[in-house]
Amino acid sequence: MKKIYLLALLIALGACMEQPSVQNEWHVVFKTDKDGTVLQGSKQKLMNAIRNGQDLKIGWGVKREDLSIEHLSAPIWLAILSEKEVMAHLDPQVLSNITWDSLAADYTNFDLLQQEWRVVLTTKGDFDAVWYDRKADTVIKRWPQKHRMTWFANGNVEIVPPPLFEK
């Protein structure tokens, strides 16, 4: 019986001990409005993060009176163009509908499962979306847009590396 009390006491004391905090290491390095006007950070800071090999994520969203949606995605391919702009490709996604009444994914339209949504984003606010039918090997729709975007880097961007084409 004493062993059970001792075990319970050790468990209780362990639960009361301060646990190490997990810190969010993701930082906003560049944020623009939909026209590409800089709201926070800088393109140089973003380019430094890319050249340092840091993990990146890009966030964007839309809000209307009746609904809103936010997206966050890690790019699968990045390019620094003429040391002035950044272009990012996202991983192709299989589409679903959204049932807005229940805020749930809806896969009842099985034709959507053969479609991919492909996106290229730029630091100028460009958001070029393409719906592609994998089965028919055709582009269904292309929808160039402009979006407010937030570019995040994992870790602090303190090192200023040279361009990747230099030694």
Side-chain angles (χ1 to χ4, degrees):
M1 191 67 158
K2 287 183 180 180
K3 289 181 181 178
I4 293 174
Y5 286 125
L6 182 59
L7 181 60
L9 179 62
L10 289 173
I11 291 171
L13 286 173
C16 293
M17 292 177 64
E18 186 176 330
Q19 299 293 320
S21 64
V22 177
Q23 293 186 357
N24 181 357
E25 293 295 327
W26 290 94
H27 302 278
V28 174
V29 291
F30 187 61
K31 184 174 187 172
T32 64
D33 66 11
K34 68 179 185 173
D35 297 316
T37 302
V38 178
L39 302 174
Q40 185 177 345
S42 69
K43 288 181 190 177
Q44 188 60 56
K45 203 170 183 182
L46 174 60
M47 289 186 273
N48 290 346
I50 293 167
R51 289 173 177 151
N52 283 325
Q54 291 174 262
D55 290 331
L56 297 178
K57 292 182 183 178
I58 307 166
W60 68 98
V62 175
K63 181 170 177 52
R64 299 188 331 208
E65 289 181 23
D66 56 335
L67 59 92
S68 67
I69 188 166
E70 298 171 75
H71 302 279
L72 186 66
S73 185
I76 60 168
W77 182 85
L78 293 160
I80 298 173
L81 307 175
S82 294
E83 300 185 67
K84 295 179 184 174
E85 300 294 339
V86 174
M87 177 185 290
H89 287 251
L90 302 184
D91 197 14
Q93 299 294 311
V94 174
L95 297 173
S96 75
N97 281 324
I98 297 173
T99 305
W100 287 100
D101 292 338
S102 61
L103 300 177
D106 178 2
Y107 281 106
T108 55
N109 181 351
F110 291 114
D111 290 337
L112 288 179
L113 293 175
Q114 71 187 25
Q115 295 179 14
E116 288 179 344
W117 179 71
R118 301 176 181 191
V119 176
V120 176
L121 304 102
T122 74
T123 48
K124 295 189 291 186
D126 297 331
F127 183 99
D128 199 351
V130 173
W131 284 257
Y132 177 75
D133 186 321
R134 294 180 300 171
K135 186 175 181 181
D137 192 26
T138 59
V139 172
I140 299 165
K141 172 181 166 181
R142 180 175 176 227
W143 187 16
Q145 308 162 55
K146 299 290 259 179
H147 275 288
R148 172 186 293 244
M149 289 181 218
T150 305
W151 301 66
F152 301 89
N154 193 357
N156 288 321
V157 182
E158 296 175 6
I159 298 172
V160 181
L164 296 173
F165 53 79
E166 290 182 5
K167 292 183 182 181

